Amino acid sequence: MTQNLTILGSTGTIGINTLDVVARHPDRYRVFALTGHGQIDALAGQCRQFLPQYAVVPDQERAARLADLLTGLDIRILTGVSGLEQVAADPAVDSVMCAIVGAAGLAPALAAARAGKRILLANKETLVMAGHLFMQAVADGGATLLPIDSEHNAIFQSLPANYSGEPHRSGVRRIWLTASGGPFRNRPVEELPAVTPEEACAHPNWVMGRKISVDSATMMNKGLEVIEARWLFDVAAEQIEVVIHPQSVIHSMVDYLDGSVIAELGNPDMRTPIAHALAWPERIASGVSPLDLVGKNLTFEQPDLQRFPCLALAFEALAEGGMFATALNAANEEAVAAFLDRQIRFDQIASVNAEVMRCAARTPARDLDDLIEADRQARRQAGERIQLLSRPT
Ligand code: NAD
Ligand code: MG
């Protein structure tokens, strides 16, 4: 049967990779809606190729530009968060790829969860910001949640097919998240304050959007993934280990009580987890070349928390609970944007994150409004610190 698919954030790296896989299987997938924020020309090109019923852009001005580019085509254009929520929850939609970057991805992902969709979740910030509420919405809405993040997709594949969300019942001892270590794994620590956005975005193994590339360089990305794993698989922080594996061939592992360790391996290409989640429980071709292990050296190292303080912050957020993770996520988005804008130094991302996170409430959120307020407050505090740091001395 053909699946009707909404791709939120179709103009991004994950969105483009999703369309690449979809284009290989026109009999299986029909694109229902595409959405983009800034790159209207790219969105128009995707619309011409995939002929969705809807396209969503942030505002009327960009809607008018897109409409101009799509003259003669029967594609309805919606705007804003309500447009994103509408195409995520439309009754005609089967699956929703959540590939918007940052906290902006939360509202439409929640709409898809409440509407009981099959959710392909790339937007890890949704789980970091609102893990409890989002998982509750998935359960209440009867949605199916399939992780796209390569590590979590690997864990999903390495857990038993009937995994109940209770690790001990399935004999799971630990989860191992692998990390490449990013572009600064071997850079002398004293040089880190001087690294540029260009260097931080040049990832050795993966081609990704700018925000997640910087997160990989600080290892905040792995920290966000620790929190993501806690919610997706209902594991305690003490059961999550991070190991640096620079080749990115093993995408993560599950360690069982009997001593077995089950892993998923492959070439580092996001089309593998995307194709896996699109077709699950079946398998389809993704365009990724087969893995050749001959001559490959797979190595493993302990992460250095001195070099990567952002990774330690994520474990601290889990230990503290309350609004810590929400605040950490918001502060980090602001700090990364300021670093990309050359307002603060690379090493200052971690200090902004730490200071803002430690001001967060220790009581858990009662509802979405609480989270949105915590997010707003953390962004305001981060903004103030960034201003102080970026002021010329
Ligand atoms: P990207 O920056 O390449 O693309 C982001 C997409 O979101 C674009 O389509 C953009 O138009 C849209 N967008 C940005 N701001 C928006 C806003 N305020 N409202 C609505 N749409 C907005 O990012 P990416 O690398 O594709 O990553 C997307 C998500 O997937 C992130 O959460 C990231 O952490 C996660 N992820 C990415 C990778 C990867 O390899 N790229 C791997 C794992 C997880
Ligand atoms: Mg990942």
Side-chain angles (χ1 to χ4, degrees), residues 124 149-152 212 221-222 225:
K124 64 192 85 188
D149 214 343
S150 58
E151 295 76 3
H152 306 75
I212 183 175
N221 183 51
K222 208 52 52 183
E225 290 182 358

Short mmCIF file of all heavy atoms in Angstrom, two decimals, residues 124 149-152 212 221-222 225, ligand 2:
data_model
loop_
_atom_site.label_atom_id
_atom_site.label_comp_id
_atom_site.label_asym_id
_atom_site.label_seq_id
_atom_site.Cartn_x
_atom_site.Cartn_y
_atom_site.Cartn_z
N LYS A 124 15.80 15.57 17.46
CA LYS A 124 16.06 15.10 18.83
C LYS A 124 15.69 16.14 19.87
O LYS A 124 15.40 15.81 21.02
CB LYS A 124 17.52 14.68 18.96
CG LYS A 124 18.52 15.79 18.77
CD LYS A 124 19.94 15.25 18.63
CE LYS A 124 20.24 14.85 17.20
NZ LYS A 124 21.50 14.17 17.00
N ASP A 149 17.69 9.36 14.22
CA ASP A 149 19.06 9.60 14.65
C ASP A 149 19.80 8.26 14.54
O ASP A 149 19.30 7.22 15.01
CB ASP A 149 19.03 10.08 16.12
CG ASP A 149 20.13 11.07 16.41
OD1 ASP A 149 21.08 11.14 15.61
OD2 ASP A 149 20.03 11.77 17.43
N SER A 150 20.97 8.25 13.90
CA SER A 150 21.58 6.97 13.52
C SER A 150 21.84 6.07 14.74
O SER A 150 21.65 4.86 14.67
CB SER A 150 22.89 7.20 12.75
OG SER A 150 23.77 7.97 13.53
N GLU A 151 22.24 6.69 15.86
CA GLU A 151 22.53 5.90 17.06
C GLU A 151 21.26 5.22 17.59
O GLU A 151 21.26 4.05 17.96
CB GLU A 151 23.10 6.79 18.17
CG GLU A 151 24.45 7.42 17.86
CD GLU A 151 24.38 8.59 16.89
OE1 GLU A 151 23.25 8.98 16.50
OE2 GLU A 151 25.44 9.11 16.51
N HIS A 152 20.18 6.00 17.63
CA HIS A 152 18.93 5.48 18.21
C HIS A 152 18.26 4.52 17.26
O HIS A 152 17.62 3.56 17.69
CB HIS A 152 18.04 6.66 18.60
CG HIS A 152 18.77 7.61 19.50
ND1 HIS A 152 19.73 8.45 19.00
CD2 HIS A 152 18.74 7.77 20.83
CE1 HIS A 152 20.25 9.12 20.01
NE2 HIS A 152 19.68 8.73 21.13
N ILE A 212 23.60 21.07 14.07
CA ILE A 212 24.02 19.75 14.58
C ILE A 212 25.52 19.54 14.35
O ILE A 212 26.18 18.84 15.11
CB ILE A 212 23.17 18.60 13.98
CG1 ILE A 212 23.59 17.25 14.59
CG2 ILE A 212 23.20 18.54 12.50
CD1 ILE A 212 22.73 16.07 14.17
N ASN A 221 25.90 17.31 20.96
CA ASN A 221 25.04 16.39 20.20
C ASN A 221 24.93 15.04 20.91
O ASN A 221 23.84 14.50 21.05
CB ASN A 221 25.59 16.21 18.78
CG ASN A 221 24.68 15.31 17.95
OD1 ASN A 221 23.48 15.53 17.88
ND2 ASN A 221 25.25 14.28 17.34
N LYS A 222 26.06 14.51 21.38
CA LYS A 222 26.00 13.21 22.07
C LYS A 222 25.25 13.36 23.38
O LYS A 222 24.49 12.47 23.78
CB LYS A 222 27.41 12.66 22.29
CG LYS A 222 27.51 11.17 22.35
CD LYS A 222 26.85 10.44 21.18
CE LYS A 222 27.30 10.93 19.83
NZ LYS A 222 26.60 10.25 18.71
N GLU A 225 21.75 13.29 22.65
CA GLU A 225 21.37 11.91 22.31
C GLU A 225 21.25 11.02 23.54
O GLU A 225 20.47 10.07 23.54
CB GLU A 225 22.39 11.34 21.32
CG GLU A 225 22.28 12.01 19.96
CD GLU A 225 23.23 11.46 18.91
OE1 GLU A 225 24.04 10.57 19.22
OE2 GLU A 225 23.17 11.95 17.76
MG MG B 2 23.22 11.01 15.89
#
